[in-house]
């Protein structure tokens, strides 16, 4: 059974960077309490596990060059926006 788009977005971001504040920032189009509800639901379903963040070395942060994951549906919207911005 395929997961809803919002769930795939959240789970992709959890895999990309598990900090809740980072996830909330990438999902800024949704109210913070909605994202928190999703995270709580995923924890209850044991899809993710909450842990205390440890210290992150600056060298690790500086090396992270890959962008966050994008779902195919989001790519289509971004490509349309970019095309519109390009001609305007």
């Amino acid at each position: 059974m395929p997961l809803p788009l919002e769930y795939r977005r959240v789970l992709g971001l959890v895999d990309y960077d598990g900090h809740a504040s980072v996830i909330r920032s990438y999902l800024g189009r949704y109210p913070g309490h909605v994202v928190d509800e999703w995270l709580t639901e995923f924890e209850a379903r044991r899809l993710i596990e909450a842990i205390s963040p440890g210290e992150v070395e600056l060298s690790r942060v500086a090396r992270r060059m890959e962008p966050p994951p994008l779902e195919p549906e989001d790519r289509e919207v971004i490509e349309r926006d970019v095309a519109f911005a390009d001609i305007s």
Side-chain angles (χ1 to χ4, degrees):
M1 177 174 163
L3 289 172
L5 177 59
E6 291 80 12
Y7 285 24
R8 288 185 281 138
R9 284 180 182 135
V10 173
L11 291 174
L13 289 170
V14 166
D15 189 44
Y16 173 75
D17 188 318
H19 292 83
S21 58
V22 173
I23 295 167
R24 277 188 223 101
S25 71
Y26 279 113
L27 297 174
R29 70 184 103 179
Y30 302 103
H33 72 278
V34 172
V35 176
D36 289 338
E37 288 172 5
W38 287 333
L39 293 172
T40 302
E41 179 184 344
F42 293 161
E43 284 181 55
R45 293 177 185 249
R46 296 183 181 202
L47 296 173
I48 61 173
E49 181 179 352
I51 60 171
S52 298
E55 290 292 320
V56 179
E57 294 179 19
L58 183 58
S59 61
R60 180 174 174 249
V61 174
R63 280 185 274 135
R64 180 168 225 154
M65 299 300 291
E66 72 274 0
L70 287 175
E71 295 299 321
E73 296 88 341
D74 293 333
R75 288 185 194 276
E76 294 170 8
V77 172
I78 290 171
E79 288 172 6
R80 281 194 309 259
D81 290 348
V82 167
F84 179 77
D86 189 39
I87 62 172
S88 60

